[in-house]
Amino acid sequence: MVQSINTKVDVVEKATSFLGIADYGKIMVGDKGFEFYDERDAKNFIQIPWEEVDIVITSVMFKGKWIPRFAIKTKQNGTFTFSTKDPKKVLRAIRVYITPDRIVKSLSFFQVLQRSVKNIFSKKNKNE
């Protein structure tokens, strides 16, 4: 059986982890860290202490009306992407333990496209 790192739990929510193949389970946000437990396999879990979290990246659409997924970037182990039934509730619980300046919005499709076009034209001007 897996031992939780939290002593107090703030939020438990149904979620999907996008680490490799999508896994369905539950997210637990507590006083010591962020945890994901797979509902089918007890050995498949993710535990991230708050000291290890670098930034939280959210994908925001329609001016904040819909948040399809969010990612937690750690200092050593990479980025973990999740989706929940109620992402705003989970992000509010995370905001208690992570300062709001470390919770950022990801770039939109058009921002990525605009940056790539600017990059192409700036390379052309440098070569001339």
Side-chain angles (χ1 to χ4, degrees):
M1 195 69 188
V2 180
Q3 183 69 29
S4 174
I5 60 174
N6 292 319
T7 56
K8 185 187 97 176
V9 177
D10 294 338
V11 173
V12 176
E13 189 74 33
K14 284 186 175 181
T16 305
S17 169
F18 296 104
L19 187 65
I21 298 174
D23 294 320
Y24 301 102
K26 293 200 183 262
I27 281 180
M28 223 168 38
V29 177
D31 60 342
K32 303 284 186 199
F34 181 90
E35 299 175 325
F36 173 80
Y37 295 104
D38 193 349
E39 61 188 22
R40 292 187 205 135
D41 187 10
K43 293 182 247 173
N44 189 9
F45 63 94
I46 300 169
Q47 293 178 330
I48 306 170
W50 293 126
E51 299 83 36
E52 184 66 24
V53 174
D54 189 20
I55 58 173
V56 177
I57 305 162
T58 60
S59 176
V60 178
M61 297 196 172
F62 306 117
K63 298 181 183 176
K65 302 238 186 257
W66 183 42
I67 301 173
R69 61 183 64 184
F70 61 93
I72 296 178
K73 184 177 179 213
T74 61
K75 294 176 183 172
Q76 294 180 350
N77 296 327
T79 305
F80 300 94
T81 307
F82 301 98
S83 174
T84 64
K85 288 276 188 185
D86 191 1
K88 290 184 181 181
K89 182 167 82 171
V90 173
L91 290 170
R92 279 189 207 107
I94 290 173
R95 191 174 59 189
V96 172
Y97 302 104
I98 301 296
T99 58
D101 61 324
R102 290 180 29 209
I103 299 175
V104 297
K105 289 195 301 187
S106 65
L107 296 175
S108 70
F109 171 75
F110 294 109
Q111 288 172 329
V112 172
L113 192 64
Q114 182 182 17
R115 283 186 178 190
S116 64
V117 169
K118 280 184 182 178
N119 192 16
I120 290 170
F121 286 118
S122 68
K123 284 183 181 179
K124 273 188 177 180
N125 291 338
K126 287 181 182 179
N127 291 336
E128 291 177 356

